[in-house]
Amino acid sequence: MGFKVAVVGATGNVGREMLNILAERRFPVSEVVALASARSMGTEISFGDKVLKCRHLDTYDFADTDICLMSAGGGPSKEWSPRIAAKGCVVIDNSSAWRYDSDVPLIVPEVNADAIAGFRKRNIIANPNCSTAQLVVALKPLHDRAVIKRVVVSTYQSVSGAGKEAMDELFHQTRAVFVSDPVETKRFTKRIAFNVIPHIDVFMEDGYTKEEWKMMAETKKILDPKIKLTATCVRVPVFISHSESVNVEFEKPISPDEARDLLRESPGVLVIDKREDGGYITPHEAAGEDATYVSRIREDATVENGLAFWCVSDNLRKGAALNAVQIAEALVNRKLIAPKQKAA
Ligand SMILES: NC(=O)c1ccc[n+]([C@@H]2O[C@H](COP(=O)([O-])OP(=O)(O)OC[C@H]3O[C@@H](n4cnc5c(N)ncnc54)[C@H](OP(=O)(O)O)[C@@H]3O)[C@@H](O)[C@H]2O)c1
């Protein structure tokens, strides 16, 4: 049994990683189609040991495609995801365009896989923001044990979260600083090389940024609407992997040892937590890995029932491509979809 899968945004950071992960995890495909804008027509892209020629989204007919991994940004998602879904192709959408629609499930399989069944209303399933995905994977087992009241999170987000052009910008600026060339700023509002920027996505009326609002709204939708969350999202000059400093206040007592044991047993989480030099994870080590890493688990004695920890994950994998492929796997494993074209 194989599914015809289309990856839209196949030339992008996330799209390329989707193709890698589909091949690595041997997702049951009959065919994989790489799609992007007219700019990329004919571009060669790897899928396992094969090479795919990129096709143009606008002229592709989804009628016989089973699953579309949509990763081309909010604009194309708003326009295309419903059109693709109307062709009977299930869309797993990586943008923020559909995440807050009550008829679209927002899924992190380790956390709320059962909600996936609600996809039939629109034939669209949303993938969360990268910073939310890793956070809820770490919070879920703690919430189940001790009930989270409030979360305070500060992020240290890599430039790959802003797309391939943002990675180029960090590279070129870093080089320019070393050779004393003028530093050009295009994608970011300030220089990112040897700097940090406390601003991701647009400003909202209340002073928070949209990225911070997304973490709050998505944690509520995926984990529990009663959880209060405040975030400060910061871009840092790291290529891949987002890090988060997290403080959590619980209703019931939970010790750092209990939290460590629970997290060790939880799907998708790896605990690296030795109280010694280097006994924690950094973004460099998490890049290319699937796990959400948790380190520095300790009591936050400034509140009743408080814990603090450090959480790192590859934003292109668990924060985007891996989560999308895990959603596709859940659809298949739960027999929620069947291939349109039966094997001959
Ligand atoms: N990066 C992350 O950590 C992360 C995490 C979660 C979600 N996301 C979301 O994933 C999406 C893609 O992010 P990315 O980092 O992969 O961006 P990216 O590296 O800039 O790549 C964008 C991709 O979209 C394609 N594209 C753009 N406009 C298009 C159009 N009108 N029609 C067809 N294809 C079009 C581009 O094709 P061309 O090469 O032809 O221009 C390229 O393949 C965004 O919605 C982003 O918010 C990203």
Side-chain angles (χ1 to χ4, degrees):
M1 185 180 68
F3 294 83
K4 186 165 178 183
V5 179
V7 174
V8 179
T11 52
N13 274 340
V14 175
R16 284 179 194 271
E17 208 60 49
M18 284 171 163
L19 290 165
N20 291 338
I21 292 172
L22 285 169
E24 274 168 32
R25 294 172 73 96
R26 297 178 194 281
F27 187 81
V29 294
S30 57
E31 189 182 342
V32 175
V33 183
L35 300 167
S37 76
R39 292 178 288 273
S40 305
M41 263 172 80
T43 302
E44 295 194 334
I45 300 168
S46 302
F47 169 62
D49 54 9
K50 297 196 183 78
V51 174
L52 307 177
K53 277 226 183 344
C54 200
R55 294 160 69 177
H56 185 193
L57 169 66
D58 294 26
T59 55
Y60 180 74
D61 183 358
F62 283 85
D64 66 350
T65 302
D66 299 297
I67 300 170
C68 171
L69 303 181
M70 184 75 191
S71 190
S77 276
K78 268 198 196 92
E79 181 190 346
W80 278 94
S81 292
R83 285 163 72 176
I84 298 168
K87 292 265 183 178
C89 174
V90 182
V91 180
I92 300 172
D93 191 290
N94 211 29
S95 77
S96 58
W98 298 99
R99 287 180 196 153
Y100 317 110
D101 185 313
S102 54
D103 288 339
V104 173
L106 177 63
I107 301 292
V108 175
E110 294 89 338
V111 181
N112 65 339
D114 289 344
I116 222 168
F119 79 97
R120 288 212 169 82
K121 286 185 189 150
R122 282 197 187 269
N123 233 12
I124 302 175
I125 301 168
N127 213 29
N129 182 259
C130 35
S131 349
T132 312
Q134 68 184 70
L135 180 67
V136 294
V137 167
L139 291 181
K140 162 79 175 162
L142 305 176
H143 185 53
D144 286 350
R145 171 65 62 93
V147 188
I148 295 171
K149 284 164 69 176
R150 177 170 183 256
V151 181
V152 180
V153 56
S154 301
T155 70
Y156 305 72
Q157 295 181 223
S158 68
V159 293
S160 57
K164 56 190 175 184
E165 285 171 15
M167 294 178 86
D168 291 344
E169 187 156 326
L170 172 59
F171 177 83
H172 291 303
Q173 286 186 358
T174 306
R175 193 193 149 276
V177 170
F178 275 114
V179 299
S180 301
D181 273 354
V183 174
E184 276 184 46
T185 300
K186 287 190 215 147
R187 183 66 184 69
F188 295 112
T189 49
K190 300 221 178 197
R191 181 175 120 173
I192 185 66
F194 307 101
N195 201 11
V196 298
I197 305 174
H199 171 195
I200 302 180
D201 210 331
V202 297
F203 276 95
M204 318 255 307
E205 258 179 32
D206 61 3
Y208 279 86
T209 63
K210 187 83 183 282
E211 185 83 353
E212 293 160 351
W213 177 86
K214 285 178 200 165
M215 290 193 79
M216 183 268 290
E218 293 176 23
T219 301
K220 284 178 184 290
K221 183 165 175 179
I222 298 166
L223 195 52
D224 189 335
K226 291 199 281 297
I227 293 175
K228 291 180 185 165
L229 183 145
T230 178
T232 303
C233 292
V234 180
R235 191 73 71 191
V236 296
V238 165
F239 281 107
I240 294 177
S241 296
H242 291 352
S243 307
E244 296 173 350
S245 157
V246 189
N247 288 66
V248 192
E249 192 181 342
F250 296 91
E251 272 180 19
K252 301 179 200 164
I254 178 167
S255 71
D257 281 342
E258 261 180 287
R260 215 172 280 116
D261 289 345
L262 268 174
L263 288 166
R264 279 205 178 100
E265 299 299 318
S266 301
V269 182
L270 274 179
V271 176
I272 308 279
D273 195 16
K274 292 186 185 156
R275 292 175 173 179
E276 62 187 38
D277 291 354
Y280 41 80
I281 201 90
T282 63
H284 173 64
E285 293 134 347
E289 301 292 328
D290 286 349
T292 292
Y293 291 91
V294 180
S295 303
R296 306 277 333 272
I297 303 169
R298 59 211 189 274
E299 185 187 352
D300 176 355
T302 63
V303 291
E304 208 180 331
N305 307 328
L307 282 182
F309 62 87
W310 175 247
C311 171
V312 185
S313 194
D314 182 327
N315 54 296
L316 299 178
R317 291 178 76 90
K318 185 60 198 169
L322 171 65
N323 198 68
V325 174
Q326 287 175 313
I327 292 172
E329 288 171 347
L331 282 171
V332 173
N333 295 339
R334 290 167 180 243
K335 301 196 173 15
L336 293 170
I337 56 167
K340 287 178 183 165
Q341 288 186 330
K342 303 279 177 254

